[in-house]
Amino acid sequence: MKHALLIYSGGMDSTTMLHEFRQEIALAVNFSYGANHNAQEARCAREQCAALGIELIEIDLAFMGRYFNSALLSGADAIPTGEYDADNMAATVVPFRNGIMLSIAAGLAESRNLDTVMIANHSGDHHIYPDCRPEFISAIQEAISAGSGGKVRLSAPYTSLNKTEIARHGLRLGVDYSRTYSCYKGTDTPCGECATCREREEALREAALSIWGK
Amino acid sequence: MKHALLIYSGGMDSTTMLHEFRQEIALAVNFSYGANHNAQEARCAREQCAALGIELIEIDLAFMGRYFNSALLSGADAIPTGEYDADNMAATVVPFRNGIMLSIAAGLAESRNLDTVMIANHSGDHHIYPDCRPEFISAIQEAISAGSGGKVRLSAPYTSLNKTEIARHGLRLGVDYSRTYSCYKGTDTPCGECATCREREEALREAALSIWGK
C-alpha cells in the first residue's frame, strides 16, 4: 500500500528517491518559489512522474520570489560560479525553504491520509544550508509529529549520504540523470560552470568510476 | 528597535498581541488559505495595522483551499454550530496550518533581518488543534532555530493563557474588539451561532465582568 508523499524537485537527489521508493510513494509534490531553475526542474518532475505513474501536484509559492531575500531568487547573473562550498554558496540560501516545503507537505499528507513525508536532503549540503542538517531534520520531525497529532512522520533517508553515494545508488537503479535538472542558472542547456553544475558532474563522474571503473 | 514579525489574522487573539507588542512588531503577516472567514479577517487586519502604523504583508495560500481537507475550507454550511469543544470542532482542523504559517514567517523574518516570529496561539485551542499545543510550539521553535542557523526565534507568549484572559488583557489595553473578526462562517454580520462566535462572546462577557463587574 502506497503511504508516502515525496517533496520532489526534479533534481538528482529527489529523482533517485522517487525511483528507490516508487513502491511507497503515492504522491509527489513539486514547489516553485521564484528560483531561476524551478521551471526546468518542474519539467523533469512531470516527465519522471508520468513515466512511473505517480501523481504529481505542483504548488506555486510565488510570494517567496517576491518577499524573500536570496541570490537564487535574483536572476541567473546573481548565481555564484566556482566551488560548491559554504563561502561561495551562502548567498543561495533561501531562508527556511525546507521548513516551508516540509510543513506544506505535512498538511497535504494528513489531508490525503498519507502517513509519511519524504525529503531528499543529503550530507553534501549540511555545511551550506542549515535546513538540510540532521539537527533541523530531527526538530522538524518532532514538530510534524506533534502538529499532526501523530498522524504524519518525516523520513529523510539520505541525510547521511553524500551526492556521490546518491548518484551511485541511482545509477544502479537505472535512473537516467539526463532527465533531471540541477543548474542554478536555469538555462535550457545547463551552464556547466555554476557550483551546482560542477557538484553534479563531479558526483556523477565519481559514481560511474566506482561502479564501472570509468 | 522593532525586531519582530507577527502572524496576524485580524481575529481577537492576534489583534490583542499586535497592540500589546506594538513597540516590537516591525511587520505583520496575514495569510489567506481558502477559509470562509479569511476575507473578513484580512479587512480587520488592514484596518488595525493602518491605525497602528505597522506594515502588513498579505500572503495567499490558495493551494490549501484546493488541496487540503477541512470543514473550514468547505463553505459556511460545513461549519459546526454548538459548543467549542474537541468533538464538535475536530472537522475544522486545517492540517498543520500553524506549522505552515510559522515556517513561511520564519523565512520572511530571516529575509528581513527580524530575529523573532510571534504567534498568538492560546490554551483554549489546545484540546482541539494539535498545532496550538505547547509540545508543538516547543518543537517548531527548535526547528526554526536550527533551520535559520540561529537567526530567528519563536515567541508564543499566550500559549498558557485562555481566551478570557486574552480578552481581559486587550480590554485593559483599549483594544476595540468590534474591529476584529472571528466567525467561522465568514458572513458580513457574524452568525452568532457557530462555536467560534459563541467562544468569542463568552470570553468578552467574562472578561468585561471581571474588569467592570458587568
Side-chain angles (χ1 to χ4, degrees):
Chain A
M1 178 72 179
K2 292 185 167 195
H3 63 101
L5 179 162
L6 173 67
I7 295 175
Y8 182 42
S9 69
M12 271 184 68
D13 313 315
S14 58
T15 297
T16 308
M17 194 168 277
L18 185 79
H19 282 259
E20 181 175 0
F21 295 91
R22 58 196 286 181
Q23 304 299 335
E24 297 182 41
I25 295 167
L27 178 64
V29 184
N30 176 271
F31 293 95
S32 291
Y33 45 90
N36 306 313
H37 63 315
N38 282 161
Q40 303 282 0
E41 285 186 321
R43 180 180 48 74
C44 292
R46 278 177 225 127
E47 277 185 27
Q48 295 281 354
C49 285
L52 296 180
I54 292 172
E55 181 185 356
L56 175 70
I57 287 179
E58 297 180 47
I59 291 180
D60 187 2
L61 304 176
F63 63 87
M64 290 176 66
R66 181 167 175 194
Y67 295 118
F68 280 45
N69 183 23
S70 169
L72 199 56
L73 312 177
S74 305
D77 292 345
I79 299 298
T81 53
E83 294 301 315
Y84 193 80
D85 61 31
D87 284 348
N88 202 23
M89 296 299 284
T92 67
V93 171
V94 178
F96 217 64
R97 185 191 64 166
N98 283 356
I100 294 167
M101 296 195 300
L102 281 166
S103 295
I104 294 169
L108 195 48
E110 189 179 333
S111 291
R112 291 287 194 99
N113 292 315
L114 301 172
D115 67 8
T116 303
V117 166
M118 305 191 75
I119 186 167
N121 63 297
H122 63 85
S123 69
D125 285 340
H126 293 177
H127 57 304
I128 304 169
Y129 303 106
D131 60 357
C132 290
R133 292 175 192 154
E135 54 268 35
F136 168 73
I137 294 296
S138 169
I140 195 88
Q141 150 65 14
E142 284 295 314
I144 288 174
S145 178
S148 68
K151 290 179 188 159
V152 181
R153 62 182 283 272
L154 172 60
S155 173
Y158 293 172
T159 301
S160 64
L161 300 186
N162 65 35
K163 208 169 181 85
T164 299
E165 291 168 316
I166 292 172
R168 196 157 52 214
H169 223 46
L171 290 175
R172 287 190 169 127
L173 287 166
V175 174
D176 178 0
Y177 286 114
S178 73
R179 302 287 188 175
T180 66
Y181 190 91
S182 302
C183 174
Y184 269 1
K185 288 191 183 283
T187 44
D188 278 349
T189 304
C191 76
E193 291 180 0
C194 75
T196 309
C197 276
R198 292 169 65 162
E199 182 213 22
R200 171 194 171 97
E201 283 163 27
E202 185 180 319
L204 285 171
R205 190 174 55 244
E206 286 181 356
L209 193 68
S210 73
I211 296 175
W212 301 301
K214 62 177 183 181
Chain B
M1 179 73 179
K2 291 186 168 195
H3 64 100
L5 178 162
L6 173 67
I7 294 175
Y8 182 41
S9 69
M12 272 184 67
D13 313 315
S14 58
T15 298
T16 307
M17 193 168 277
L18 185 80
H19 282 258
E20 181 173 0
F21 296 91
R22 59 197 284 181
Q23 304 300 335
E24 297 182 43
I25 295 168
L27 178 63
V29 185
N30 176 271
F31 292 95
S32 291
Y33 45 90
N36 306 312
H37 63 315
N38 282 159
Q40 303 283 359
E41 285 186 323
R43 179 179 49 74
C44 293
R46 278 177 223 129
E47 278 185 27
Q48 294 281 355
C49 285
L52 295 180
I54 293 173
E55 181 185 356
L56 175 70
I57 286 180
E58 297 181 46
I59 291 181
D60 187 1
L61 304 176
F63 64 85
M64 290 177 67
R66 181 166 175 195
Y67 295 118
F68 279 45
N69 184 23
S70 169
L72 199 57
L73 312 177
S74 306
D77 292 345
I79 300 299
T81 54
E83 294 300 316
Y84 192 80
D85 61 32
D87 285 346
N88 201 24
M89 296 299 283
T92 67
V93 171
V94 178
F96 217 63
R97 186 191 64 166
N98 283 356
I100 293 167
M101 297 195 300
L102 281 166
S103 295
I104 295 169
L108 195 49
E110 189 178 334
S111 291
R112 291 286 195 101
N113 292 315
L114 301 172
D115 67 7
T116 303
V117 166
M118 304 191 76
I119 185 168
N121 63 299
H122 63 84
S123 69
D125 284 340
H126 293 178
H127 58 305
I128 303 168
Y129 303 106
D131 60 356
C132 291
R133 293 174 192 156
E135 54 268 34
F136 168 74
I137 294 296
S138 168
I140 195 88
Q141 150 64 13
E142 284 295 315
I144 288 173
S145 178
S148 70
K151 290 179 188 159
V152 181
R153 62 183 282 272
L154 172 60
S155 174
Y158 293 172
T159 301
S160 64
L161 300 186
N162 65 35
K163 208 170 181 84
T164 299
E165 290 168 318
I166 292 171
R168 195 157 53 215
H169 222 47
L171 290 174
R172 286 188 169 128
L173 287 165
V175 174
D176 178 0
Y177 285 114
S178 74
R179 301 287 188 176
T180 66
Y181 191 90
S182 302
C183 174
Y184 269 1
K185 288 189 184 286
T187 44
D188 279 349
T189 305
C191 75
E193 290 180 0
C194 75
T196 309
C197 276
R198 292 170 66 162
E199 182 214 20
R200 172 194 171 97
E201 283 162 27
E202 185 179 319
L204 286 171
R205 190 173 57 243
E206 286 180 358
L209 193 68
S210 72
I211 297 173
W212 300 303
K214 62 177 181 178

